Short mmCIF file of all heavy atoms in Angstrom, two decimals:
data_model
loop_
_atom_site.label_atom_id
_atom_site.label_comp_id
_atom_site.label_asym_id
_atom_site.label_seq_id
_atom_site.Cartn_x
_atom_site.Cartn_y
_atom_site.Cartn_z
N PRO A 241 -122.44 50.80 13.34
CA PRO A 241 -120.94 50.65 13.51
C PRO A 241 -120.33 51.93 13.05
O PRO A 241 -120.78 52.81 12.42
CB PRO A 241 -120.66 49.49 12.42
CG PRO A 241 -121.97 48.85 12.12
CD PRO A 241 -123.00 49.95 12.25
N ASN A 242 -118.99 52.06 13.61
CA ASN A 242 -118.22 53.29 13.49
C ASN A 242 -116.90 52.86 12.88
O ASN A 242 -116.04 52.26 13.57
CB ASN A 242 -118.02 54.02 14.71
CG ASN A 242 -119.38 54.45 15.39
OD1 ASN A 242 -119.87 55.46 15.16
ND2 ASN A 242 -119.93 53.56 16.31
N ALA A 243 -116.58 53.20 11.62
CA ALA A 243 -115.24 52.85 11.04
C ALA A 243 -114.19 53.82 11.64
O ALA A 243 -114.36 55.08 11.66
CB ALA A 243 -115.36 53.10 9.53
N ILE A 244 -113.09 53.26 12.11
CA ILE A 244 -112.08 54.05 12.68
C ILE A 244 -110.68 53.38 12.29
O ILE A 244 -110.60 52.25 11.74
CB ILE A 244 -112.06 54.04 14.27
CG1 ILE A 244 -111.77 52.60 14.81
CG2 ILE A 244 -113.42 54.63 14.77
CD1 ILE A 244 -111.43 52.66 16.29
N SER A 245 -109.68 54.20 12.54
CA SER A 245 -108.31 53.56 12.45
C SER A 245 -107.58 54.09 13.78
O SER A 245 -107.21 55.19 13.97
CB SER A 245 -107.48 54.12 11.30
OG SER A 245 -106.12 53.81 11.40
N ALA A 246 -107.40 53.07 14.67
CA ALA A 246 -106.72 53.40 15.96
C ALA A 246 -105.27 53.82 15.71
O ALA A 246 -104.74 54.68 16.41
CB ALA A 246 -106.82 52.19 16.94
N ALA A 247 -104.67 53.21 14.69
CA ALA A 247 -103.27 53.48 14.44
C ALA A 247 -103.05 54.92 13.94
O ALA A 247 -102.03 55.47 14.28
CB ALA A 247 -102.68 52.47 13.53
N HIS A 248 -104.03 55.41 13.10
CA HIS A 248 -103.93 56.74 12.47
C HIS A 248 -104.73 57.78 13.12
O HIS A 248 -104.72 58.89 12.78
CB HIS A 248 -104.15 56.57 10.95
CG HIS A 248 -103.20 55.75 10.19
ND1 HIS A 248 -103.34 54.38 10.20
CD2 HIS A 248 -102.16 56.03 9.53
CE1 HIS A 248 -102.35 53.88 9.48
NE2 HIS A 248 -101.59 54.80 9.11
N GLY A 249 -105.66 57.36 14.07
CA GLY A 249 -106.52 58.33 14.65
C GLY A 249 -107.80 58.64 13.93
O GLY A 249 -108.59 59.41 14.40
N GLU A 250 -108.02 58.05 12.78
CA GLU A 250 -109.22 58.43 12.00
C GLU A 250 -110.48 57.94 12.64
O GLU A 250 -110.64 56.76 12.99
CB GLU A 250 -109.07 57.88 10.59
CG GLU A 250 -107.84 58.31 9.81
CD GLU A 250 -107.60 57.53 8.55
OE1 GLU A 250 -108.53 56.77 8.15
OE2 GLU A 250 -106.63 57.71 7.87
N GLY A 251 -111.45 58.85 12.85
CA GLY A 251 -112.72 58.48 13.42
C GLY A 251 -112.74 58.23 14.90
O GLY A 251 -113.85 58.01 15.44
N VAL A 252 -111.62 58.34 15.55
CA VAL A 252 -111.60 58.00 17.01
C VAL A 252 -112.24 59.08 17.84
O VAL A 252 -113.02 58.79 18.77
CB VAL A 252 -110.11 57.84 17.49
CG1 VAL A 252 -110.03 57.62 18.96
CG2 VAL A 252 -109.51 56.66 16.85
N ARG A 253 -111.99 60.36 17.46
CA ARG A 253 -112.67 61.40 18.22
C ARG A 253 -114.18 61.34 18.20
O ARG A 253 -114.91 61.49 19.20
CB ARG A 253 -112.14 62.78 17.76
CG ARG A 253 -112.81 63.95 18.54
CD ARG A 253 -112.34 65.26 18.06
NE ARG A 253 -112.91 66.36 18.83
CZ ARG A 253 -112.46 66.79 19.90
NH1 ARG A 253 -111.27 66.35 20.42
NH2 ARG A 253 -113.02 67.86 20.67
N GLY A 254 -114.76 61.10 16.99
CA GLY A 254 -116.23 60.99 16.91
C GLY A 254 -116.72 59.76 17.72
O GLY A 254 -117.74 59.87 18.25
N LEU A 255 -116.03 58.64 17.68
CA LEU A 255 -116.46 57.51 18.50
C LEU A 255 -116.51 57.81 19.94
O LEU A 255 -117.50 57.48 20.65
CB LEU A 255 -115.44 56.37 18.22
CG LEU A 255 -115.66 55.09 19.14
CD1 LEU A 255 -116.88 54.40 18.69
CD2 LEU A 255 -114.44 54.17 18.89
N VAL A 256 -115.47 58.50 20.53
CA VAL A 256 -115.47 58.92 21.91
C VAL A 256 -116.49 59.91 22.24
O VAL A 256 -117.12 59.83 23.29
CB VAL A 256 -114.05 59.45 22.34
CG1 VAL A 256 -113.98 59.79 23.77
CG2 VAL A 256 -112.99 58.32 22.03
N GLU A 257 -116.78 60.86 21.31
CA GLU A 257 -117.87 61.74 21.51
C GLU A 257 -119.19 61.05 21.74
O GLU A 257 -120.00 61.38 22.62
CB GLU A 257 -117.96 62.75 20.38
CG GLU A 257 -116.85 63.80 20.37
CD GLU A 257 -116.87 64.67 19.16
OE1 GLU A 257 -117.61 64.37 18.24
OE2 GLU A 257 -116.25 65.72 19.20
N LEU A 258 -119.45 60.03 20.95
CA LEU A 258 -120.64 59.22 21.02
C LEU A 258 -120.72 58.53 22.38
O LEU A 258 -121.67 58.50 23.06
CB LEU A 258 -120.74 58.18 19.92
CG LEU A 258 -121.10 58.64 18.49
CD1 LEU A 258 -120.96 57.51 17.51
CD2 LEU A 258 -122.54 59.20 18.52
N ALA A 259 -119.54 57.94 22.77
CA ALA A 259 -119.52 57.17 24.05
C ALA A 259 -119.79 57.97 25.24
O ALA A 259 -120.35 57.61 26.24
CB ALA A 259 -118.17 56.41 24.18
N LEU A 260 -119.33 59.34 25.17
CA LEU A 260 -119.45 60.21 26.27
C LEU A 260 -120.68 61.13 26.23
O LEU A 260 -120.90 61.93 27.18
CB LEU A 260 -118.22 61.05 26.37
CG LEU A 260 -116.87 60.43 26.70
CD1 LEU A 260 -115.74 61.36 26.66
CD2 LEU A 260 -116.86 59.64 27.99
N GLU A 261 -121.46 61.01 25.19
CA GLU A 261 -122.55 61.99 24.94
C GLU A 261 -123.58 62.00 26.02
O GLU A 261 -124.09 63.01 26.45
CB GLU A 261 -123.29 61.59 23.56
CG GLU A 261 -124.20 62.59 23.16
CD GLU A 261 -124.79 62.20 21.80
OE1 GLU A 261 -124.86 61.07 21.48
OE2 GLU A 261 -125.14 63.11 21.05
N ALA A 262 -123.79 60.89 26.62
CA ALA A 262 -124.77 60.83 27.75
C ALA A 262 -124.28 61.25 29.09
O ALA A 262 -125.12 61.38 30.07
CB ALA A 262 -125.29 59.40 27.92
N PHE A 263 -122.99 61.64 29.21
CA PHE A 263 -122.46 62.03 30.51
C PHE A 263 -122.31 63.50 30.57
O PHE A 263 -121.86 64.09 29.65
CB PHE A 263 -121.10 61.33 30.77
CG PHE A 263 -121.16 59.79 30.70
CD1 PHE A 263 -120.79 59.11 29.57
CD2 PHE A 263 -121.70 59.06 31.76
CE1 PHE A 263 -120.97 57.72 29.52
CE2 PHE A 263 -121.85 57.74 31.73
CZ PHE A 263 -121.45 57.00 30.62
N PRO A 264 -122.66 64.15 31.77
CA PRO A 264 -122.73 65.65 31.77
C PRO A 264 -121.24 66.12 31.90
O PRO A 264 -120.30 65.37 32.24
CB PRO A 264 -123.48 65.87 33.10
CG PRO A 264 -123.22 64.64 33.87
CD PRO A 264 -123.25 63.43 32.96
N GLU A 265 -121.20 67.41 31.54
CA GLU A 265 -119.82 68.09 31.76
C GLU A 265 -119.45 68.13 33.30
O GLU A 265 -120.48 68.15 34.16
CB GLU A 265 -119.93 69.56 31.33
CG GLU A 265 -120.25 69.67 29.80
CD GLU A 265 -118.90 69.46 29.03
OE1 GLU A 265 -117.87 69.60 29.57
OE2 GLU A 265 -119.10 69.26 27.75
N PRO A 266 -118.21 67.96 33.64
CA PRO A 266 -117.85 68.01 35.06
C PRO A 266 -118.21 69.39 35.72
O PRO A 266 -118.07 70.46 35.04
CB PRO A 266 -116.35 67.72 35.08
CG PRO A 266 -115.94 68.12 33.68
CD PRO A 266 -117.07 67.84 32.78
N ASP A 267 -118.66 69.36 36.95
CA ASP A 267 -118.98 70.55 37.60
C ASP A 267 -117.76 71.04 38.44
O ASP A 267 -117.39 70.46 39.43
CB ASP A 267 -120.14 70.30 38.62
CG ASP A 267 -120.57 71.58 39.37
OD1 ASP A 267 -120.06 72.67 39.04
OD2 ASP A 267 -121.52 71.49 40.18
#
């Protein structure tokens, strides 16, 4: 699990990094 605060932005960047980790950079 990933603790976040959507209202304050805490932990959100790390969560999205995890979700996008498997996808390549755009060419």
Side-chain angles (χ1 to χ4, degrees):
N242 302 271
I244 69 165
S245 170
H248 296 84
E250 297 170 10
V252 173
R253 182 180 180 87
L255 173 68
V256 178
E257 285 176 347
L258 284 173
L260 296 178
E261 192 174 29
F263 302 100
E265 297 281 344
D267 185 0

